[in-house]
């Protein structure tokens, strides 16, 4: 697979402090990639650079063979705080996005498409409510519907479920897993939640602690699809995969030093591991 | 926060306070003795007024006398009998017209300009010193300059209203626009909404409550200033009418004018309050 998006040597510096630099990775068409790391390593900045909302201090983002210069309708963002406009209804928020994508569509056509998009996330009954009248989970659903309604080539999600309670978060994770699988959506997501990454991602990028953060490892998720939260932890290899990521977050993320990297590591080709494959098969219960 | 009070109880207390106040007033202005005094030539008395002819001062009218006069004025508020004798409704209408013209003109200039200032930190910093110096100037200080350069007292009145109502709208609009939530602007950017669409669909509604608050402050100030401005320029308007009644020593009319100015000011504020409610949003 050739990379649809290629992040080439991007860096973010504040004065003398380098948050991260020499970050290289690619995302193939139809692939879903999660970035996992501790606070302060610059995850959100990487997503903003990918979205075109921020310019990197070094390096470039290549999409479809061209360096990006700013935000684009092809890369839709689901923001951490839902970022809905409180003066528009749920349908109004989605219709606004659609009217930006399809400048020539009538108001009625945009509204109809917005309601269709809300239906896909199970919110057709709340289309005419303002965000203030929606629960946190419903708001984020609207945010996801808004992003998907413009049929982006790529979906960027910045810890979209971190503000939600555990039950709501679980339901939404399953829903996003389903939506992404249905439309073979190319996606990039930042998360703190290891299970969320295993559920959604084809590859999981592990980032070392900032400052001077790098992508330290790439974990390939070989668990079969479709994955749901109900069947995920019964899959052979799940525990090995999870333990590997947790071990990284607890110990290796801190120990990683870019000037004295582990053997075989280079910024341009970060080693890929598949912990789920090397695990011994689960004992039959 | 205080606990909510039932409307009946608060309204009852308000009425009681009003009744006590009016009662005390009525008693305080009652004639001291049973009248009397030297007998007067009735023609002399008609010429000067009873009190003046008796050598006393004009008595302060009581609420009942003012009430009678109020009914008289309200019975025919829109008559016009020459330039110096027009109904109170006509006078208020003139004042409202001036306030409307000055305020409307200020809004037409202040809101777009405030928008631009709010969007551009450079322009904001560049224009801020001018605004800060001009804003605290009493609008009446502009009056001589306006009279000199415009050479028309009616338009000068409108100009004074314009200059006093422009600042709150300008500053509030600029502030509202400058403080629009970053994430909403980012949404617009990722949707490639473009400048114009972002301004109309995102920034304007986001800043609208702040802008309307500025308009509300402005109309309040404009209504305060119009009375003083009309006292200066004369001719028509409720401010001129107050001054005219002072010259006539019609104390009852002055009290009525104060009441009317208060009621119209309240109505203007409520009108903008409705506007504020229409554009309000909550998260």
């Amino acid at each position: 697979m050739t990379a649809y998006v290629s992040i080439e040597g991007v860096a973010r510096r504040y004065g003398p402090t380098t948050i991260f630099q020499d970050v290289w990775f690619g995302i193939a068409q139809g692939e879903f990639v999660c970035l996992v790391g501790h606070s302060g390593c610059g995850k959100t900045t990487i997503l903003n650079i990918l979205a075109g909302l921020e310019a990197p201090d070094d390096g470039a983002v290549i999409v479809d063979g061209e360096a990006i210069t700013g935000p684009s309708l092809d890369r839709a963002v689901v923001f951490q705080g839902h970022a809905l406009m409180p003066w528009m209804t749920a349908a109004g928020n989605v219709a606004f996005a659609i009217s930006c994508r399809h400048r020539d569509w009538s108001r009625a056509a945009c509204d109809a498409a917005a309601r269709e998009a809300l239906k896909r996330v199970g919110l057709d009954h709340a289309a005419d409510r303002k965000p203030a009248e929606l629960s946190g989970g419903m708001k984020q659903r609207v945010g996801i519907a808004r992003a998907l309604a413009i049929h982006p080539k790529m979906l960027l999600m910045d810890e979209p479920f971190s503000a939600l309670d555990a039950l709501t978060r679980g339901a939404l994770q399953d829903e996003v897993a389903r939506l992404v699988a249905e439309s073979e959506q190319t996606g990039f997501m930042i998360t703190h939640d290891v299970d969320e990454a295993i559920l959604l991602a084809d590859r999981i990028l592990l980032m070392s602690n900032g400052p001077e953060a790098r992508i330290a490892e790439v974990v390939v998720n070989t668990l079969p699809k479709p994955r749901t939260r109900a069947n995920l932890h019964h899959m052979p290899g799940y525990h090995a995969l999870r333990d590997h990521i947790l071990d990284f977050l607890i110990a290796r993320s801190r120990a990683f030093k870019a000037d004295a990297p582990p053997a075989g590591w280079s910024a341009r080709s970060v080693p890929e591991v598949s912990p789920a494959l090397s695990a011994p098969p689960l004992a039959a219960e | 926060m205080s606990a909510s009070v039932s409307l009946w109880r608060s309204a009852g207390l308000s009425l009681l306070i009003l009744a006590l106040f009016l009662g005390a007033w009525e008693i305080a202005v009652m004639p001291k003795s049973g009248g009397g005094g030297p007998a007067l030539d009735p023609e002399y008395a008609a010429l000067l007024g009873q009190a003046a002819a008796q050598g006393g001062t004009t008595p302060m009218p009581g609420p009942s006398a003012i009430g009678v006069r109020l009914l008289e004025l309200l019975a025919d508020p829109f008559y016009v009998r020459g330039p110096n004798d027009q109904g109170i409704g006509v006078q208020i209408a003139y004042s409202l017209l001036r306030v409307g013209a000055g305020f409307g003109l200020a809004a037409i200039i202040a809101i777009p300009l405030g928008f631009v200032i709010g969007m551009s930190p450079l322009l904001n910093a560049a224009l801020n010193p001018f605004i800060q110096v001009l804003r605290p100037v009493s609008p009446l200080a502009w009056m001589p300059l306006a009279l000199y350069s415009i050479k028309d007292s009616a338009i000068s009145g409108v100009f004074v209203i314009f200059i006093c109502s422009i600042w709150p709208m300008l500053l509030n609009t600029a502030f509202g626009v400058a403080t629009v939530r970053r994430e909403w602007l980012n949404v617009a950017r990722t949707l490639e909404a473009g400048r114009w669409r972002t301004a109309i669909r995102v920034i304007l509604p986001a800043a609208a409550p702040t802008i309307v608050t500025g308009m509300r402050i402005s109309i309040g100030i404009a209504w305060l200033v119009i009375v003083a401005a009309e006292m200066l320029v004369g001719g028509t308007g409720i401010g001129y009418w107050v001054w005219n009644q002072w010259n006539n020593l019609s104390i009852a009319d002055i009290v009525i004018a104060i009441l009317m100015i208060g009621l119209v000011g309240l109505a203007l504020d409520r009108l903008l309050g409705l506007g504020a409610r229409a554009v309000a949003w909550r998260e």
Side-chain angles (χ1 to χ4, degrees):
Chain A
M1 281 195 288
T2 55
Y4 164 63
V5 179
S6 168
I7 285 79
E8 309 199 340
V10 297
R12 164 63 81 236
R13 302 190 181 90
Y14 293 105
T17 315
T18 298
I19 307 300
F20 60 83
Q21 65 178 2
D22 231 359
V23 168
W24 300 71
F25 66 91
I27 301 170
Q29 201 107 47
E31 190 185 28
F32 203 96
V33 173
C34 278
L35 179 63
V36 178
H38 287 290
S39 300
C41 68
K43 301 188 299 285
T44 295
T45 309
I46 290 183
L47 183 128
N48 283 346
I49 290 171
L50 202 46
L53 291 169
E54 290 181 40
D57 293 310
D58 227 332
V61 176
I62 315 289
V63 176
D64 257 346
E66 270 182 65
I68 64 164
T69 54
S72 158
L73 278 161
D74 289 337
R75 280 165 281 126
V77 183
V78 176
F79 293 87
Q80 188 171 6
H82 49 84
L84 299 179
M85 322 267 177
W87 54 89
M88 299 181 191
T89 61
N93 269 285
V94 180
F96 174 61
I98 293 171
S99 73
C100 290
R101 164 67 92 183
H102 305 283
R103 296 294 171 102
D104 51 338
W105 283 18
S106 71
R107 189 178 286 238
C110 289
D111 186 65
R115 282 164 198 281
E116 196 55 44
L118 285 172
K119 203 173 193 169
R120 254 182 295 155
V121 296
L123 272 186
D124 36 343
H125 62 286
D128 294 314
R129 287 201 237 157
K130 296 271 174 73
E133 299 153 354
L134 301 174
S135 69
M138 291 162 97
K139 281 184 224 178
Q140 200 50 283
R141 269 169 209 261
V142 178
I144 292 165
R146 174 172 66 185
L148 292 177
I150 57 174
H151 299 290
K153 290 187 180 158
M154 185 173 183
L155 186 64
L156 303 171
M157 306 173 100
D158 183 4
E159 299 191 37
F161 313 127
S162 59
L164 306 177
D165 64 90
L167 272 175
T168 315
R169 190 188 313 150
L172 265 178
Q173 285 166 347
D174 274 343
E175 194 130 342
V176 169
R178 177 178 62 81
L179 289 167
V180 165
E182 267 175 15
S183 55
E184 292 189 355
Q185 180 72 55
T186 309
F188 178 74
M189 180 160 105
I190 287 168
T191 179
H192 274 118
D193 183 337
V194 175
D195 280 328
E196 186 170 289
I198 297 175
L199 178 70
L200 292 166
D202 299 309
R203 280 189 305 143
I204 300 163
L205 311 178
L206 301 179
M207 216 164 166
S208 65
N209 288 1
E212 288 287 350
R214 301 284 192 285
I215 294 185
E217 270 178 46
V218 176
V219 176
V220 179
N221 186 354
T222 50
L223 299 183
K225 288 186 190 176
R227 301 189 279 258
T228 65
R229 278 181 319 125
N231 68 19
L232 190 65
H233 56 282
H234 295 301
M235 289 179 174
Y238 162 78
H239 290 282
L241 185 61
R242 188 169 197 276
D243 291 348
H244 182 91
I245 299 171
L246 279 178
D247 283 341
F248 175 86
L249 288 176
I250 291 163
R252 296 203 303 282
S253 65
R254 202 168 346 127
F256 182 91
K257 291 281 172 282
D259 44 1
W265 185 90
S266 96
R268 291 195 186 212
S269 64
V270 177
E272 291 196 349
V273 291
S274 311
L277 282 183
S278 50
L282 278 186
E285 282 170 42
Chain B
M1 276 305 284
S2 57
S4 70
V5 180
S6 90
L7 180 66
W8 290 113
R9 292 179 64 189
S10 68
L13 186 59
S14 292
L15 283 176
L16 184 68
I17 292 170
L18 182 67
L20 281 176
F21 172 69
L22 293 179
W25 181 358
E26 190 74 57
I27 291 166
V29 300
M30 269 205 284
K32 292 285 183 295
S33 57
L40 284 171
D41 178 2
E43 275 185 43
Y44 180 63
L47 201 64
L48 283 183
Q50 187 75 30
Q54 280 175 336
T57 53
T58 304
M60 181 73 187
S64 55
I66 292 172
V68 170
R69 177 72 181 137
L70 180 64
L71 289 179
E72 240 175 80
L73 286 174
L74 290 187
D76 186 14
F78 295 109
Y79 71 86
V80 177
R81 290 185 210 108
N84 267 339
D85 190 10
Q86 306 186 27
I88 189 166
V90 175
Q91 306 290 11
I92 289 176
Y94 271 115
S95 297
L96 279 174
L97 205 67
R98 285 197 189 106
V99 166
F103 174 82
L105 213 61
I108 288 170
I109 290 175
I111 293 173
L113 186 62
F115 222 91
V116 174
I117 293 176
M119 299 251 259
S120 154
L122 171 69
L123 216 53
N124 191 359
L127 290 179
N128 199 39
F130 300 108
I131 296 173
Q132 294 306 332
V133 169
L134 294 178
R135 191 173 60 100
V137 175
S138 163
L140 293 176
W142 291 90
M143 184 63 95
L145 206 58
L147 288 170
Y148 171 76
S149 48
I150 299 172
K151 295 182 177 62
D152 181 302
S153 65
I155 299 177
S156 296
V158 172
F159 173 79
V160 167
I161 295 304
F162 164 81
I163 207 80
C164 76
S165 41
I166 198 166
W167 309 116
M169 283 194 271
L170 189 65
L171 290 173
N172 265 47
T173 305
F175 177 77
V177 169
T179 54
V180 170
R181 201 83 54 80
R182 178 102 250 138
E183 55 182 3
W184 295 333
L185 297 177
N186 279 344
V187 169
R189 287 177 64 203
T190 57
L191 292 173
E192 296 186 61
R195 244 161 210 275
W196 184 245
R197 195 182 286 246
T198 303
I200 297 296
R201 296 291 307 275
V202 180
I203 298 174
L204 187 62
T210 321
I211 297 174
V212 174
T213 302
M215 295 173 79
R216 209 168 166 180
I217 298 170
S218 282
I219 200 107
I221 295 176
W223 191 243
L224 285 180
V225 167
I226 190 67
V227 174
E230 285 170 346
M231 283 181 177
L232 274 178
V233 296
T236 48
I238 191 74
Y240 166 74
W241 194 77
V242 170
W243 201 249
N244 215 15
Q245 301 313 348
W246 164 237
N247 287 336
N248 294 339
L249 275 183
S250 321
I251 307 296
D253 287 4
I254 295 172
V255 175
I256 287 166
I258 289 172
L259 186 67
M260 286 296 160
I261 291 168
L263 289 175
V264 173
L266 175 70
L268 288 176
D269 187 66
R270 281 298 140 98
L271 206 65
L272 268 293
L274 285 180
R277 205 193 270 178
V279 298
W281 45 261
R282 71 191 168 89
E283 291 198 77

